């Protein structure tokens, strides 16, 4: 299977219907808000909400995390459904020794129906396993530039039943920066402050 690479917005659009083989997703970039969007999309596609507690696992890796610990997590079978989701967060903390062991063992240990998502990992040179998975699975680039950030904010506003002028979104980025969690939070507060019939303007953003 040839690896694929998708920008995060493209992934969010196609993830419901596009086939992925293997079901392995490597998230590039440090913005955890975007990581959460990807994980939610994977949850919606693969996890039955009635059995979420049994079939969704998150491991926050540290330098003491071992290959055996990860192999054990990958080897658990789905409970009463077809899929389970394993999210390995901060995989970059895994030592090179344990990462190298996983290169040789993970494909034997992983249970059928297990969907794997990894983030963030830094350089694959220091993490052989992630480098290997990146050559097999789907890499999702969780990095956005100004226009794409504006598109994401506009989509958020539409879900709240509001339309926002692009100039206002640029003003918001200039004021808050490009941290998406901070931008969404500030935009939400601004929208909640509007009265019926009011539109969001630059003055309200700067308050």
């Amino acid at each position: 299977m040839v690896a694929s690479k998708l920008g995060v917005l493209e992934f969010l659009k196609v993830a419901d219907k596009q086939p992925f083989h293997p079901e392995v997703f490597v998230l590039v970039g440090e913005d955890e808000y975007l990581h959460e969007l990807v994980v939610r999309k994977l949850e919606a596609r693969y996890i039955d909400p009635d059995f979420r507690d049994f079939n969704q696992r998150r491991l926050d890796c540290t330098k003491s995390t071992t290959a055996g610990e990860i192999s054990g997590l990958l080897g658990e079978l789905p409970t009463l459904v077809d899929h389970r989701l394993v999210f390995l967060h901060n995989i970059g903390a895994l030592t090179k020794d344990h990462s190298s062991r996983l290169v040789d063992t993970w494909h034997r240990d992983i249970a059928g129906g297990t969907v794997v998502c990894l983030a963030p990992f830094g350089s694959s040179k220091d993490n052989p396993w992630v480098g290997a998975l990146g050559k097999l699975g789907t890499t999702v680039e969780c990095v956005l530039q100004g226009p794409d950030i504006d598109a994401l904010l506009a989509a958020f506003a539409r879900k709240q039943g509001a339309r926002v002028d692009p100039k206002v979104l640029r003003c918001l980025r200039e004021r808050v920066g490009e941290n998406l969690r901070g931008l969404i939070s500030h935009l939400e507060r601004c929208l909640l402050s509007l009265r019926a019939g009011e539109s969001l303007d630059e003055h309200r953003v700067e308050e």
Side-chain angles (χ1 to χ4, degrees):
M1 176 66 188
V2 178
S4 62
K5 182 179 291 187
L6 298 172
V8 64
L9 296 183
E10 182 182 4
F11 173 82
L12 295 174
K13 289 178 182 178
V14 305
D16 291 332
K17 53 189 176 181
Q18 179 169 316
F20 297 100
H21 301 289
E23 291 163 328
V24 174
F25 304 89
V26 178
L27 311 189
V28 177
E30 303 293 325
D31 195 309
E32 294 197 8
Y33 181 81
L34 294 177
H35 298 169
E36 290 175 11
L37 292 182
V38 171
V39 172
R40 286 180 206 160
K41 182 62 73 170
L42 294 174
E43 288 175 6
R45 173 164 180 171
Y46 292 109
I47 303 301
D48 186 323
D50 292 334
F51 300 98
R52 177 178 284 112
D53 291 344
F54 302 104
N55 295 293
Q56 187 166 330
R57 296 287 185 270
R58 170 177 170 141
L59 177 63
D60 291 293
C61 300
T62 67
K63 290 182 179 179
S64 62
T65 301
T66 67
E69 186 177 358
I70 291 177
S71 291
L73 196 60
L74 296 178
E76 295 177 12
L77 291 167
T79 302
L80 302 174
V81 291
D82 294 330
H83 292 95
R84 60 190 296 271
L85 173 63
V86 176
F87 179 42
L88 300 175
H89 182 258
N90 196 31
I91 195 68
L94 195 66
T95 66
K96 191 171 184 177
D97 176 54
H98 284 284
S99 180
S100 297
R101 295 181 196 179
L102 285 165
V103 171
D104 298 323
T105 63
W106 79 276
H107 58 284
R108 297 195 302 267
D109 296 332
I110 192 167
T114 297
V115 180
V116 184
C117 182
L118 306 94
F121 63 87
S123 172
S124 61
K125 294 180 180 178
D126 299 321
N127 202 313
W129 184 47
V130 176
L133 292 181
K135 296 176 181 178
L136 293 172
T138 300
T139 297
V140 182
E141 296 183 321
C142 296
V143 179
L144 294 180
Q145 302 290 329
D148 288 333
I149 293 176
D150 291 348
L152 188 66
L153 295 175
F156 175 83
R158 286 195 297 273
K159 287 183 179 180
Q160 310 304 311
R163 290 188 178 275
V164 182
D165 189 285
K167 292 180 180 179
V168 175
L169 296 178
R170 288 194 294 271
C171 176
L172 182 64
R173 282 194 289 111
E174 290 171 1
R175 178 174 176 79
V176 180
E178 296 198 345
N179 177 277
L180 279 170
R181 195 182 302 279
L183 284 166
I184 292 289
S185 177
H186 195 93
L187 178 58
E188 185 174 31
R189 288 197 302 272
C190 291
L191 294 175
L192 289 173
S193 71
L194 297 177
R195 297 176 181 176
E198 283 188 325
S199 59
L200 187 60
D201 57 25
E202 295 179 35
H203 176 70
R204 186 65 62 92
V205 167
E206 292 173 350
E207 288 181 348

